[in-house]
Amino acid sequence: MKHFCSSSVSEDLGCRRGDFSRKHYGSVELLISSDADGAIQRAGRFRVENGSSDENATALPGTWRRTDVHLENPEYHTRWYFKYFLGQVHQNYIGNDAEKSPFFLSVTLSDQNNQRVPQYRAILWRKTGTQKICLPYSPTKTLSVKSILSAMNLDKFEKGPREIFHPEIQKHLLLSHCKGSVNFKFGVLFAKDGQLTDDDMFSNEIGSDAFQKFLNLLGDTITLKGWTGYRGGLDTKNDTTGIHSVYTIYQGHEIMFHVSTMLPYSKENKQQVERKRHIGNDIVTIVFQEGEEPSPAFKPSMIRSHFTHIFALVRYDQQKDNYRLKIFSEESVPLFGPPLPSPPVFTDHQEFRDFLLVKLINGEKATLETPTFAQKRRRTLDMLIRSLYQDLMPDLHKNMLNRRSFSDVLPESPKSARKKEEARQAEFVRIGQALKLKSIVRGDAPSSLVASGICKKEPWEPQCFCSNFPHEAVCADPWGQALLVSTDAGVLLVDDDLPSVPVFDKTLPVKQMHVLEALDLLILRADKGKDARIFVFRLSAVQRGIEGKQAVKGKCDCRENKLEKTKGCHLYAINTHHSKELRIVVAIRNKLLLITRKHNKPSGVTGMALLSPLSESPVEEFQYIREICLSDSPAVMTLVDGPTEESDNLICVAYRHQFDVVNESTGEAFRLHHVEASRVNFVAAIDVYEDGEAGLLLCYNYSCIYKKVCPFNGGSFLVQPSASDFQFCWNQAPCAIGKETFCHPGLPPERLI
C-alpha cells in the first residue's frame, strides 16, 4: 500500500495523441520566414495550436468545457513539504548513494487525509529530482530508514544515513524545493498591423486603445518604484526599467507582465535592447497583433530569442468584441492544456482571461520539463544538495547524545524521550513555523497557500489609512478604495485624507458592520440593549444617496431595513468563505437565530432605477431558518463552512472558559477547547481554509491556538488532538484579530491582520 508522485507533466497529457492531439494541440511544423532584407530565417520547429485546422473558420464562439481550464503540474512535492513537514515534528536524514551522490530524506508521522489514520510520509531529495511516498503505520511492525529508502527504489548506498538534528535544515530544504514554483514573468509585445520584425514591434512607443483594454483585462497597473510584490526582474528603486507595469495574482501565483510599451524606449536605439533584454528572456510571450486576420500572419521567427519557447498570439475584433487566440510551442515542450476551443474565439472576456492565464502558466511549467531546462534544474538541485551536504556533515560528528541509530523506528514523539530531545523538537517546530509564516507573508509559499504578495509587510505592521481622523472608531469595513467607519458622530465614508462623507447620523449607533460588495449588501448591528437590531441595506441605494447628496439617514429612516426577530441582539456573524448562500447567525442572549438570504429575487422588476423606495430594502430577501439555544451568552462567534455546504456547517462560539462548535442543522454542541486561566478575555475565533479543509484560530488573552475542524462521522463531531494543531503567543494581549478577505479574481482567500 504505497504510492508515488513524480514531478513530470500532468498524467492526462499521456492520452493526447493522434487525431485528437493534432486537432486540439496542433501539428509540429518547420516555420521558415524571411527578414526585412529577404534573407531566409529558420525559426526551428514549433507546434501550432489554432483550435481548428481551418485558419479562416467563422469567428463564432468556440465550443469548450469550462472544466478543461485547470492548472497542471501543481508542485505536489513543494505543497507536501510545506503542509506536512515544515513547522511539524519530523526527522531528516543525510547520506550518499552508490555513486557517492548525496541525498536527503525527510520523514513524518501524520494523519491520512485527516481521517485519524496514522501513516508515514516521506520525501527523498536527489540530484535527479524528488520523490514522495506514503507508507502505512503499524504499531506492531517497526519501520526503519532503510525500509523507506528501499520502498523508494534506493537500496544501495554508502554506510547508513545519519540523522540531522540542526533545525536550520528546514530553511535549506524549503529553499531548494520551493524555488521557481510560485511566480511567473510573461512578456507582452504590442505589434501593429503589417509589422514583420521584432525591431518594428519593440519600437512601438505606445499602444492602442484595444491594447490598453487587453492590459486592463490581464491585471492591474502598478507603480514600480517602491513596489514590494514580486517584481519579475524589474527595477523597483530607480525607475530604470520603466515607471509602471502590469501585475496580477492568479490562483496563488504572482505574475508580472513585461509590457513592451511600458519598458524604457530609446529613439537612438532601433533594436530597443532594454525592452528585448526582458521580453527576450521570458519563457512565454504574448504577442498582441492589431489588424484583420488576413494581414501577414505572425511567426516565431519574427522574434529573435533563444529563450522564448511559447508565443501566444492574441487578436481583438472590435466590431464583434471578441478575442481570438493562437499558440506556438517549441517542439520540445510537452503537450499542455487546456485545449483551444474550435474556433478559438472568446466573447466572454473574463473567461478569456482565465483561459489565457491558465494556458500560459501550464505552458511555462511544461517548458521546465524540456531537456534544456530540466538539465539546468537538475544541476541547480545537485549543487544545492551538495552544498547542504558539505555544510551539515561536520555537525554529524558533534553532539553524540540524542543520536538515533540507523535501524531505529521513526515515532513522531516517543513518550520516553528525554527533556533534551523534547526541547530540541520544540525549537525545531518553532523555527519551522516562523519560516512558514515568513514564506506566506513574503509570497514565496506554494501556490495553494501563497499569500497575496501585494502586502509584503509583516502582518502586525500597521498601515496608516487616514492621518488626521478626528473621531474614535467603533468598527469599520472597506468599501472599494474607501473605508466605512462607525464613530460617535455617526457612520462616515473615509477616503484617504479627503473630507469624510456622513452616511448615517449618530441616532443610529453602529456596533458591527459588513460591506458585501459582491452581493450589493450592507449589514449593520445598531443601537444597544433591548433596542438593538440587525439592519440590511442595498449598497447601490446607499451609494445613490451619497452621490445625490441626500439628507443623512437616521434611525427613524431605517425602519424598513430592520430584520425581523433580531430585537435585542448583542452579536452576529456571517459566513465569509466559498458558500453560495449568505448565512447570518444572530445572538440574542443565549439564543442563536439562523437567517439565510433567499436565492430567488423578486420578479417583474428590471433595473434598480425603477424600484420604489420601499422595494429598495432587501429585507424581503432574507428568511428565518431555525433557533438554537446555548448554555450561555456567546462573547465571540464565527461560522465555518462544511465541505458539502448542506448539513455540515458549524457555528463556533466562545463563552465562560471554553470554545464550542455547534452543528447548524441539529443544534448539538461539542467542546473544542477549554481555557486554563482564571480570567479569560476572548478576542476572536477565525475560520481559516487550506486546500478546502476548514480550521479555527482561537484567540484569547495572549494566546492563539489553531485547531483543524474534523469532518462529521455519523452526525458526531470528532474532537481529538491532531498533528496539525499549533499554538503561538503575542507579547501583548491584542484587542482584535481579523481576517482580510480579497474579492479580486485570482487573489488568495485570506490572511490574518
Side-chain angles (χ1 to χ4, degrees), residues 370 588 724:
T370 61
I588 306 174
S724 61

Side-chain angles (χ1 to χ4, degrees), residues 477 514-516 572-584 637-641 685-689 739-743 749-750:
D477 208 26
H514 280 90
V515 176
L516 306 178
Y572 81 89
I574 67 171
N575 57 321
T576 59
H577 190 42
H578 56 71
S579 179
K580 298 177 182 177
E581 182 182 60
L582 173 65
R583 309 195 316 280
I584 306 176
M637 186 166 60
T638 194
L639 303 189
V640 182
D641 287 341
I686 301 171
D687 55 321
V688 182
Y689 301 87
K739 183 176 68 175
E740 182 177 340
T741 303
F742 297 95
C743 300
E750 58 228 358

Side-chain angles (χ1 to χ4, degrees), residues 690-725:
E690 178 184 335
D691 293 340
E693 299 173 353
L696 281 165
L697 190 66
L698 311 177
C699 310
Y700 61 91
N701 296 352
Y702 292 81
S703 301
C704 283
I705 295 178
Y706 175 79
K707 284 188 172 292
K708 183 74 73 174
V709 177
C710 304
F712 286 91
N713 182 11
S716 297
F717 184 74
L718 298 176
V719 183
Q720 298 178 9
S722 169
S724 61
D725 296 349

Side-chain angles (χ1 to χ4, degrees), residues 416-623:
S416 60
R418 290 169 291 182
K419 290 184 178 180
K420 189 171 183 179
E421 171 69 6
E422 293 174 351
R424 184 193 70 82
Q425 290 187 356
E427 179 68 4
F428 195 92
V429 170
R430 185 192 68 79
I431 289 180
Q433 290 183 357
L435 284 170
K436 179 178 285 190
L437 176 61
K438 195 171 184 179
S439 296
I440 292 173
V441 173
R442 195 173 57 236
D444 291 337
S447 57
S448 65
L449 305 171
V450 67
S452 73
I454 289 180
C455 178
K456 301 284 186 174
K457 300 179 180 179
E458 301 291 352
W460 45 83
E461 185 175 346
Q463 299 178 48
C464 180
F465 189 84
C466 183
S467 58
N468 56 352
F469 194 63
H471 306 284
E472 182 177 350
V474 178
C475 60
D477 208 26
W479 185 1
Q481 299 298 317
L483 195 66
L484 199 62
V485 187
S486 173
T487 70
D488 54 356
V491 177
L492 308 174
L493 188 64
V494 183
D495 191 354
D496 290 331
D497 290 323
L498 298 176
S500 301
V501 179
V503 179
F504 299 101
D505 65 26
K506 61 182 180 181
T507 63
L508 191 71
V510 175
K511 308 299 183 184
Q512 254 184 292
M513 70 168 65
H514 280 90
V515 176
L516 306 178
E517 295 184 71
L519 301 179
D520 191 33
L521 286 178
L522 170 63
I523 304 176
L524 306 175
R525 176 173 65 85
D527 226 318
K528 60 182 179 179
K530 296 181 180 180
D531 294 327
R533 293 276 190 144
I534 301 295
F535 295 80
V536 289
F537 301 85
R538 295 196 194 280
L539 276 178
S540 52
V542 177
Q543 181 68 37
R544 285 196 301 274
I546 295 173
E547 293 175 350
K549 296 183 178 180
Q550 298 176 3
V552 179
K553 287 188 175 183
K555 180 179 178 181
C556 296
D557 304 313
C558 303
R559 296 192 185 99
E560 303 297 334
N561 298 89
K562 296 178 181 178
L563 282 184
E564 293 184 8
K565 301 187 178 183
T566 63
K567 185 176 180 180
C569 62
H570 70 277
L571 190 66
Y572 81 89
I574 67 171
N575 57 321
T576 59
H577 190 42
H578 56 71
S579 179
K580 298 177 182 177
E581 182 182 60
L582 173 65
R583 309 195 316 280
I584 306 176
V585 171
V586 181
I588 306 174
R589 294 181 296 280
N590 69 324
K591 181 174 64 177
L592 302 184
L593 299 181
L594 178 60
I595 301 171
T596 64
R597 190 189 188 199
K598 302 175 186 177
H599 290 292
N600 57 326
K601 294 183 179 180
S603 58
V605 181
T606 57
M608 294 295 296
L610 301 179
L611 291 174
S612 64
L614 181 63
S615 61
E616 279 191 349
S617 171
V619 166
E620 294 181 358
E621 297 177 13
F622 291 85
Q623 57 185 349

Side-chain angles (χ1 to χ4, degrees), residues 158-280:
E158 282 191 340
K159 300 180 181 180
R162 306 298 297 274
E163 185 174 359
I164 304 171
F165 293 97
H166 201 296
E168 292 293 327
I169 181 68
Q170 298 173 97
K171 181 188 296 184
H172 297 290
L173 293 178
L174 180 66
L175 174 65
S176 64
H177 215 50
C178 294
K179 191 173 181 62
S181 64
V182 175
N183 304 325
F184 296 88
K185 51 188 182 73
F186 298 141
V188 184
L189 180 59
F190 174 65
K192 293 181 179 179
D193 188 13
Q195 290 183 335
L196 302 177
T197 67
D198 56 357
D199 286 349
D200 292 338
M201 299 176 193
F202 280 107
S203 295
N204 293 320
E205 190 171 357
I206 58 174
S208 62
D209 292 341
F211 182 59
Q212 186 58 49
K213 183 177 181 180
F214 174 66
L215 294 180
N216 294 339
L217 182 64
L218 285 181
D220 301 316
T221 300
I222 55 100
T223 301
L224 286 173
K225 195 166 188 177
W227 175 251
T228 56
Y230 172 63
R231 61 189 185 92
L234 299 178
D235 179 17
T236 58
K237 294 181 179 180
N238 302 311
D239 290 338
T240 61
T241 57
I243 299 175
H244 300 98
S245 190
V246 176
Y247 168 91
T248 192
I249 297 178
Y250 189 81
Q251 294 190 24
H253 293 285
E254 291 188 76
I255 304 173
M256 180 65 78
F257 296 94
H258 293 157
V259 183
S260 61
T261 55
M262 291 182 172
L263 291 167
Y265 172 78
S266 173
K267 293 182 178 179
E268 292 77 20
N269 190 334
K270 293 183 179 180
Q271 293 187 354
Q272 303 300 329
V273 175
E274 193 61 30
R275 292 179 170 183
K276 290 182 180 179
R277 182 169 68 89
H278 291 282
I279 297 179

Side-chain angles (χ1 to χ4, degrees), residues 51-327:
S52 171
S53 57
D54 182 7
E55 181 70 16
N56 297 316
T58 306
L60 297 174
T63 56
W64 58 294
R65 295 178 302 168
R66 190 67 182 82
T67 54
D68 289 335
V69 183
H70 62 272
L71 293 179
E72 299 167 353
N73 299 317
E75 301 289 345
Y76 290 114
H77 307 134
T78 304
R79 294 186 183 188
W80 248 47
Y81 186 76
F82 201 89
K83 181 175 180 180
Y84 296 111
F85 293 79
L86 186 62
Q88 307 290 340
V89 174
H90 67 278
Q91 293 170 255
N92 297 282
Y93 290 83
I94 187 172
N96 277 322
D97 60 19
E99 300 176 354
K100 297 185 178 181
S101 295
F103 64 83
F104 287 87
L105 176 70
S106 297
V107 185
T108 188
L109 182 65
S110 61
D111 295 338
Q112 182 179 18
N113 299 323
N114 296 303
Q115 298 300 316
R116 304 299 171 186
V117 179
Q119 67 172 356
Y120 292 108
R121 299 178 193 267
I123 299 179
L124 177 64
W125 279 270
R126 302 180 70 184
K127 68 176 182 179
T128 54
T130 310
Q131 287 178 290
K132 73 182 182 73
I133 190 174
C134 290
L135 293 169
Y137 167 78
S138 173
T140 59
K141 184 179 180 181
T142 60
L143 186 66
S144 67
V145 178
K146 184 176 180 180
S147 59
I148 294 176
L149 292 174
S150 179
M152 293 175 139
N153 297 320
L154 183 59
D155 295 303
K156 297 181 180 180
F157 32 76
E158 282 191 340
K159 300 180 181 180
R162 306 298 297 274
E163 185 174 359
I164 304 171
F165 293 97
H166 201 296
E168 292 293 327
I169 181 68
Q170 298 173 97
K171 181 188 296 184
H172 297 290
L173 293 178
L174 180 66
L175 174 65
S176 64
H177 215 50
C178 294
K179 191 173 181 62
S181 64
V182 175
N183 304 325
F184 296 88
K185 51 188 182 73
F186 298 141
V188 184
L189 180 59
F190 174 65
K192 293 181 179 179
D193 188 13
Q195 290 183 335
L196 302 177
T197 67
D198 56 357
D199 286 349
D200 292 338
M201 299 176 193
F202 280 107
S203 295
N204 293 320
E205 190 171 357
I206 58 174
S208 62
D209 292 341
F211 182 59
Q212 186 58 49
K213 183 177 181 180
F214 174 66
L215 294 180
N216 294 339
L217 182 64
L218 285 181
D220 301 316
T221 300
I222 55 100
T223 301
L224 286 173
K225 195 166 188 177
W227 175 251
T228 56
Y230 172 63
R231 61 189 185 92
L234 299 178
D235 179 17
T236 58
K237 294 181 179 180
N238 302 311
D239 290 338
T240 61
T241 57
I243 299 175
H244 300 98
S245 190
V246 176
Y247 168 91
T248 192
I249 297 178
Y250 189 81
Q251 294 190 24
H253 293 285
E254 291 188 76
I255 304 173
M256 180 65 78
F257 296 94
H258 293 157
V259 183
S260 61
T261 55
M262 291 182 172
L263 291 167
Y265 172 78
S266 173
K267 293 182 178 179
E268 292 77 20
N269 190 334
K270 293 183 179 180
Q271 293 187 354
Q272 303 300 329
V273 175
E274 193 61 30
R275 292 179 170 183
K276 290 182 180 179
R277 182 169 68 89
H278 291 282
I279 297 179
N281 286 311
D282 292 332
I283 294 176
V284 177
T285 294
I286 304 170
V287 179
F288 185 90
Q289 190 171 35
E290 292 206 317
E292 301 299 325
E293 191 63 31
S295 63
F298 170 83
K299 291 185 179 181
S301 57
M302 298 177 181
I303 310 297
R304 289 169 288 182
S305 171
H306 298 290
F307 199 81
T308 306
H309 282 58
I310 296 172
F311 294 93
L313 181 65
V314 175
R315 288 182 180 273
Y316 175 68
D317 189 326
Q318 197 158 3
Q319 292 182 344
K320 298 179 180 179
D321 193 28
N322 62 35
Y323 288 95
R324 178 183 282 270
L325 180 63
K326 190 174 183 179
I327 302 292

